[in-house]
Amino acid sequence: MSLSQDREDNGPPGVMAEELEVARADGQSSSSSDEDTLKSNQDEDHVADILEDDKPSIDSPLPSTGPSSIAHRYRELLEAQHEGTSEDGAADAISRSAASPRDSMLSVPDDLPSVHGSVVSSPGSSRPPSLALRPGLSPTPSFRPFDQRFQSRISSPYLSSPRPSSPAFLSAHSRNVSLSSQLLLDPGDTETPSPPWEVVRWTKLRKLNGQVFSEAGRRNFGSPTCLAVSATIVLGTSKGIILVFDYNQNIKMIIGPGTKAVESGPITAIAISADHTTIAGGHANGNIFTWDTARAARPFLSIPHLDPAYLLNKTADGHVPNVKITHLGFLGTRHTALVSADDRGMAFSHLATRGTGALGRTVKTSRILGRYPDSKPPPGKTLKPSTVLAFAALPLGNVEMATDTMGLTAMLTPYLLVIVSTTPIAQTQHKSARPKEVAAHSAMTGCLAWFPGVKLKVADPVTGSRISKVKLVYCWSNVLTVLDVEEVASEDKDKPPGFKFRARSRWKCEEPIVAVQWLSRSVLTVLTISQRLIVLEDWSMRMTEAYDLIHKHIYHVDLFSKQLGALVEQLDEEDPSMHGVVADAFYMSFKTYKGRLFLLGFNDISIGALSNWADRLIALMENGDYVGAIKLATSYYTGDANKLTVGLPEDSQLRHSMVQDKLMEIISASLKYVFGQRHKNKDSVDDSHLRELAETCFVACRSVEDDDFLFDEVYEWYEDAGFEGIFLETLEPYILDGSIKAVPPVVVKAMVGHFVSKGWESRLEEMICHMDTTTLDLDQVTLLCKQHRLYDALLYVWNQGLNDFITPLVDLLSLLVPLMQNGQYSGSSMEAEIYGVNALKIFPYLSYVLTGRVYPTGEPLAEDVAQKAKAELYWLLFSGKSITWPKGSTRRLLTRPNQSQEPSFPYLRLILNFDAASFLSVINEAFEDSFLNDSPEKSNGSSGRDLPEEQIFGLTVDRQYIVSILTEIMNPADFSPSETIYLDMFIARNLPKYQQYLLFPGSTLTKVLVGLCKYPSGDLAEDAQLSAEYLLSVYQPPDLTDLIPLLKEAGFYRILKRIYRGDKQYGKLIQTYFEDPDDQEAVFTCIDVYLRPQAGLTRRQIQDVHQVIKTQSAEFVHLNPATAARTIAKHAPELHQYVLDSVRAEPDLQYSYLRTILEPEKDTTPGRSTERDLVEQYVRLMCQFDPAHVSDYVGLVQSSNLRLEQLLPTMEETGVIDAAVILMAKEGQIQDAMGRLLKHLETLESALQGLLAGSQPNAQDAQESAEELVHALRKFVLVGIWLCQGQTKTIRAAAGRRGQKLPAGDTLSADENLWLGLIDASVQITRRLSSSLQDLPETVLPFTNGATHHHPPRLDTDKLLTLLRSLVQTTFTALLTSTSASSSLPLPSSTPNNTPSTGPVTTLGVGTNLSFLRILRAFLTRAAASSPNLADLRAVLASVFSAYAYEESILRLSNRLLERSLFVSVEKAVELRQRGWRSRSSTCEGCGRRVWGPGVQGGKVYEAWEEREEERRRLSTNRKGRGVGVGLGGSGGRDGEGRGGDRVDDDGEEYTGKGKGKGKGLSLGVREDNQSEGDGEGKQDPREELGGEEVSPAQTDHQQPALGPLVLLACRHIYHQSCLGALLTKDGSGKESGFRCPIDG
């Protein structure tokens, strides 16, 4: 058989182009997926949405039935009954067997038009409450009937949210882990049970293993080292022998014994040619041999390693001796063309010439990758350690391609993927660097595998080609990439085509990948470093299977760690290119062929195949999981499962034909088994299992779109067993979402009976309303609906099935007739409830049909059907007579059967009497429909066609006719005001929207307006006002002024405001704001708008506004005192006093008002209003509400705004003495202020003495009270200090201006007397209180045995004594500061509550020192006179001198902090001065000779520097502060050669000014005596280590001139001193004025 035939029959040799057929016991075989249609890139998991279970509908609150007394009674009954409604549809509530679902006529608010293109209904003044929170449908007076829309409980599946799902739509069976496409999880992190099938079915080759791995086999052949698979199984061994087995495990040949091959070491690589006739083996020493299987006695071709002589001369290419051949492969169809790679990172192509026998052929070897060990790297580059991690030649597919003759070879190194073509010459086709996704320090692994192009049975849906692309998968560490190879045709036919390489897909594994193979064209198998097998789908990159192979003990060997040792992270852990470990090689042990896995282990060889779809289904059935089997088969059918992995084709039609029959068989078998078990033992299968089975069957049958099987077979099984209820409940969600519309009559009948028996009428109606009426038995359905009073369903069937819209309305009207006989019903209350509940459906029915919608689903009606339906309903309601229906019958619907004559418009009157509000709400919606427009099409349609009477009349109805009829019928004689109000609201709201269609006389509109003003109940007030606003927007009554009292009585304040604003009656406008309880706050904005100058009000109008403000001033302030104050201050400040007087009884409001205008928050200065009366009133109120703030405020206010005699009594009464003192001081009554202050101090002392002497049961309260009094003492002492300081400053300033001197005698001045009084008072108070505290007795308590024990005092005397003594210290400190400061003493604090400054005391002046001494002498004299003994005087003196001690400690601390800061600054300055300068270059800027650094002329620079330093140290002891300059050569500098600075250290380093050049740094020089202060700022360089100084001839080379002194300038240019002098002389400036840089000037 030729090679081409073999390729056509068996697919590409050496690759997995086809899958083996798996025979099953039942004769069914799986199909290959290799030649199916390519799937798109985005083939992702299709997971069914998991929706929440639909809870049974909760019966909504029952509708209220309008204002009529009968409807109201029904509402009360139904509300009471609704309270017992349960969540499952009232199954356990009050019986509803005879009633239709009560929640079917709910009405919800809706601001959208009912019909597309119609006018939006009137916007509501506020949104009505949710109907879920209130019972009833019909609009009641408090729920704005014209702001809502009728809506049924049942909605269309196309207009509503997705249907609630049944449990059938839950996730896949938990055991089917293969159905999920989630990433691989660690076994410790998941508890998903294993599936009942084997993921991989393994077959151990026992016969083969016995021959190879037995002791005899290992002894004779050696241990297997590598594996290759094609038509045979080929093994290489450690003894250099190749073993060939067939698939019957028979050994076919043993290759190698007795030849040079066994002398070349173990087989390390093996390859099989495309036609399976030639085998190649690579050995550990670098030799390669090929063998013809037909003549295997000697090698077919021998490719030895390179001879060392050739290696030195480099005259030929080849593998280095004793280097392992790690990879080997044949090129194309040739037996004499190979490629190989070794573990040194080198790869070669070997092409043998034609000849006879091995000796007649010569092999040409070419290097395609790597460098020889002794080769030198390119200039400027270093060679990284490398090897060939993976290597493969492109195999042949089953179709000829351009790549077949080019010998494409892919090689993977640690850094690059390289693809080369080896024929006719070696040429690189593609390079790709390692992906950035590879994590740093991960394991170093690499592998790759080709899949050739193959012929497809179905063209690729993307490209349209019937030949697949060549693909390469390659992995670095844990990153897998799929590369597509596309041929690009060449413009020159003689040239081969080009190639385009595109990385299509990328996937990251959780751990490094060590081997990868193609199991089929669309399925990849991956082996990880932990020996886990992962199965991936190519295009979607879904992980479909995961299997642990650790128990297989896969053979692996360390091939790369020696070469790549430098790449492990122990060399440099911070280098991201490093790797943590170099993994072992697994590629020689993991092979695939025709859908089979081949594993070479240490002890055996295994063949494995993935379980196909049929295996898995059968395994589930055998395991008893029939539900799981149905779910899995369904997922196979829909393509949601991993169809490629289990052998199912991608083509949907082919897959469906394979799976559908099997799925139906499984369902039938499952039903038979389950119900058989149930029949035998009822406990073996419970209802939950039957429900789950039903849900699963529904999903399956809906997936295959076989509803007949569902209703014929599945339903029959459930019906026969008596469990049809489970089937019917499972059917419900499919009907509701529109999936199933056609249901057989038998099932419908059973469904009605089951749901009615359960009390689920509402759910049953919803199901019927979602079914296709053309498939229903209409007689049966209507009979059942009437029997069970399912009116929603009945209306739907009549409308949709029979196209009859009149009969349903007649039926609903017939329910109203017995209810409305003389306003009473003669039957029982339960029957009345039943009739009333169903009669209420008339309103949503009319609303839906008159706006062109299907009742109750809400879907739009067809245009012609909608026209017919609307015309018929308008005819029935507005024709004005009773009718006989059906036509031709004798049955006339009478609204008053007990009377001889029917009124006009009987049916309209009947509905209005029942619930006028709801009906008018329906007509409000109907007005938005374009059917009522007067259009030519409507007229032509009615005249040009032969239409029945009802349609002809209905087409003539318009809005004007409807309103006229309603106005005529709803007259005050027949309807109460609580009903006619709704007609007034209806007219008022619709007139502005349809002015071109509605015409009313003015008198009618005026009556409407009056009727709106006389609304019957308060809950209609807002609706009535809104309606009146609509009416007045288009109608202006001629006598509007006469209506104003009526509007006021009705409380229509918005309308009144608009009227007054239009008439510019601003006073009345503001008065209306005050009267409006809902909008009083807006009065501030209104006043602000109209009293601003831009408003342009006349004086009379402003007076009117002011008068209203005066009249309502109290209420004005009550609304918001702060806003009221700001408004009055801005626009009418003259009204302040009037407004304040109006709230005289509420001082808190007055205080808030005045605080806003006098102390605004955004301004720290007093307000603009400075009226004395207001300020004084504010201070008096502040004394009451915020006494602590009075002193601060008084200090800020000008004294002219405060009168002492007016405020002093209030301040004294409220205890605000500090403010009184400040106020008296500002009035100039200094002595009186001090006297009042001292008196208050005595009062506080008395209070404290009383506290100490009295009894306090609570020690904590006593301590707090005592501390509060002491703090009060301190506060007022500070006030006294402030008073004294201010007086002292005033007297000194006056004396300074007059040129007077302060008194020098013993007479005290006025300010000194103040100080004396304050000091004396503070000392005496402290002395007396301290004595009292020390004399406090201890508390004596008796023991229980009669003895006594002592407790410490109840007060913390130490703390109190410390606080008291601080009074004296504070006073003397302030005195010392005030009397010792200079005349420029800073001003005292503006408020006396701040502690006076206690800064360091300056040196006392003569005058001020005398003042302090006079005060001290006077104080001591007074103290000596008042103290009875020396001990008291000593205590006084101790208090005085403690103040001095306090000042001394402050001074000492300040000095210490200053010294520390100064030391740090000085130390830093010294450090900076000791730094040197660095010149810009190492050559003289004048002559260009090197002056420092290597190669400097002048000899031994360092030795010269050492001598200079030694000389400097010797002279430093004699300098004594003199700066003696030393030249760089040892000579002294001249005057004017530099500008010196202050000496810092003995080495002469110092900071100097900047040079005259552009350098801005500090120059560092050597200080000379008598340096001039010229402009030259250069310095001789003190760092002689940078260049040779003047060195003695004995130390220098006589051939080199001495370096001489150097000068380094601030601009960092360096010169020889001689060169710089010459340049300056040349410029004419000379050196007399100092050094200057010639470059920078």
Side-chain angles (χ1 to χ4, degrees), residues 1327-1343:
R1327 181 178 61 81
R1328 288 192 293 267
L1329 289 176
S1330 299
S1331 177
S1332 299
L1333 285 171
Q1334 292 172 354
D1335 294 340
L1336 280 179
E1338 294 182 347
T1339 305
V1340 180
L1341 298 177
F1343 281 111

Side-chain angles (χ1 to χ4, degrees), residues 442-445 477-479 509-514 527-530 583:
S442 59
M444 168 58 75
T445 64
S477 188
N478 66 328
V479 179
C509 185
E510 290 188 344
E511 53 188 359
I513 300 169
V514 295
L527 184 66
T528 68
I529 196 171
S530 64

Side-chain angles (χ1 to χ4, degrees), residues 364-381:
K364 180 181 180 182
T365 299
S366 302
R367 180 169 55 90
I368 58 177
L369 184 69
R371 298 178 181 274
Y372 288 104
D374 58 348
S375 61
K376 296 182 179 180
K381 293 184 178 180

Side-chain angles (χ1 to χ4, degrees), residues 113-118 930:
S114 299
V115 180
H116 180 70
S118 61
S930 59

Side-chain angles (χ1 to χ4, degrees), residues 531-550:
Q531 300 188 31
R532 300 177 77 182
L533 177 68
I534 297 174
V535 181
L536 290 176
E537 288 187 358
D538 173 24
W539 287 87
S540 64
M541 284 293 129
R542 291 189 301 177
M543 189 199 73
T544 61
E545 304 286 357
Y547 190 77
D548 194 355
L549 296 180
I550 192 69

